[in-house]
Amino acid sequence: MENITGKLYLIPTTLGDNAPLEVLPISVKKVIEQVDTFIVENEKNARRFIKSIEPRKQQSSLTLFPLNKFTDPTELPSYLEPCLQGKNIGLLSDAGCPGVADPGADIVKIAHDKNIQVVPLVGPSSILLAIMSSGMNGQSFTFNGYLPIDKDEKKQEIKQLERLSFEKNQSQIFIETPYRNNKMLEGMCQYLEGNTLVCVACDITLPTEYIKTKTVNDWKKTKVDLHKRPTIFIIHKS
C-alpha cells in the first residue's frame, strides 16, 4: 500500500490578547481540534493559545517541538517525521502568521524538500494589515525586518530606505524591538526629510489599535507613546 503523508498546517495566532475567534476563521479551530503535534516558538504560549481555541483538548495529548533561536538546526528534519508516518502537524508562530518574519520558514522549506503538503491557514499578518491601512504603495513594498541597533548604522539604513522608496516608488516596511519604538520614531523624525510619509501601525487588531500616516513634519508635532507596543513602521517618499 502507498504511504499517505500527513500535512503541515501553518496556523496563525492572534497579534495580542484578544479573543482568538474575533480575528481567526473557524478553519483554524477545526485544524487545532484534529492536530495533536505542533512545532512552536514557545511551549507555554502555544499551550495557552491552543487551550483558548479548543478548551476540551487534553494538554497531556499534545506533542510540542520547540523552534526558536536555541534550536539545533540539525534537529528540524526529525520534527517532520510524524508527517512521513501519516500524521498532520501544526506550525504555530508566537504572533501572526508562521513563516513571515518568523523561524517557521525553515520548517516549511524542509517540508517542501520532503514533498510534504504545506497548508497555509488564513490569519492576521501585521505586515499586510499595516500596508493595507497605510495609504502607501500596496503594489510595491519591501519588508526589511529589524534595522541595525548601532545608532550610526541605523541612521544610515533609514536614509537608505528613504532613497530606495523615492527611486522605486516603493514603500519600505520595518520593525523595532518594542521597548525601542519611541527612540525609533524620534530618530526617523531627525533623519528623514520633512515631506516623507511615515506610517505608524501599533497594536494592530487590539482595542488599543493606533494607525496613522503623516509627514515627518507632522510627526514632529505629534505625541504618541509606543513603548512596549508591537509596531510596524513604513516609509514612503514620493
Side-chain angles (χ1 to χ4, degrees):
M1 293 178 63
E2 183 180 353
N3 290 332
I4 300 175
T5 303
K7 300 174 183 178
L8 175 66
Y9 285 98
L10 310 188
I11 304 175
T13 60
T14 59
L15 298 175
D17 289 330
N18 44 355
L21 295 182
E22 287 184 2
V23 293
L24 297 170
I26 196 67
S27 58
V28 171
K29 177 177 172 62
K30 289 178 178 178
V31 168
I32 287 179
E33 287 174 349
Q34 300 166 6
V35 173
D36 291 319
T37 302
F38 297 87
I39 301 168
V40 305
E41 278 193 79
N42 180 285
E43 180 173 334
K44 183 178 179 181
N45 292 345
R47 287 185 181 278
R48 183 168 59 244
F49 174 74
I50 292 168
K51 186 175 182 179
S52 71
I53 291 282
E54 183 43 73
R56 295 171 297 178
K57 182 177 283 288
Q58 294 294 321
Q59 292 287 318
S60 59
S61 71
L62 300 178
T63 299
L64 303 182
F65 296 113
L67 178 58
N68 51 51
K69 63 183 179 180
F70 303 110
T71 306
D72 183 348
T74 63
E75 294 182 11
L76 299 185
S78 67
Y79 288 3
L80 293 173
E81 281 301 313
C83 273
L84 300 178
Q85 297 166 12
K87 290 185 65 175
N88 295 329
I89 292 181
L91 174 63
L92 281 174
S93 176
D94 259 1
C97 297
V100 181
D102 173 85
D106 295 333
I107 283 289
V108 176
K109 182 180 184 302
I110 295 170
H112 285 296
D113 291 342
K114 292 181 176 292
N115 202 31
I116 294 169
Q117 183 180 353
V118 176
V119 183
L121 301 181
V122 174
S125 164
S126 59
I127 298 166
L128 289 178
L129 291 171
I131 192 69
M132 284 167 59
S133 56
S134 69
M136 296 183 180
N137 192 351
Q139 296 286 345
S140 179
F141 55 88
T142 296
F143 176 64
N144 298 279
Y146 291 95
L147 302 192
I149 296 176
D150 179 81
K151 184 177 180 180
D152 291 335
E153 292 179 6
K154 183 176 295 184
K155 176 181 178 179
Q156 185 178 359
E157 183 71 10
I158 289 173
K159 294 181 74 67
Q160 171 67 7
L161 293 179
E162 184 181 44
R163 284 193 294 271
L164 285 172
S165 177
F166 179 73
E167 292 169 2
K168 297 184 176 183
N169 187 30
Q170 184 179 73
S171 297
Q172 301 293 329
I173 309 171
F174 56 92
I175 53 178
E176 178 57 287
T177 303
Y179 68 84
R180 289 199 288 259
N181 281 336
N182 287 334
K183 287 291 185 183
M184 172 61 79
L185 186 56
E186 290 172 11
M188 293 165 69
C189 287
Q190 293 175 27
Y191 310 143
L192 297 172
E193 295 185 16
N195 64 345
T196 295
L197 288 173
V198 171
C199 177
V200 173
C202 174
D203 289 346
I204 295 174
T205 73
L206 302 179
T208 53
E209 182 177 84
Y210 177 90
I211 303 173
K212 294 288 184 183
T213 296
K214 303 172 182 277
T215 65
V216 168
N217 284 337
D218 284 338
W219 277 115
K220 290 178 181 178
K221 297 178 285 186
T222 302
K223 290 186 178 180
V224 58
D225 186 8
L226 306 174
H227 186 59
K228 292 187 176 180
R229 301 170 67 187
T231 303
I232 299 283
F233 297 97
I234 313 178
I235 292 172
H236 195 99
K237 179 174 176 58
S238 55

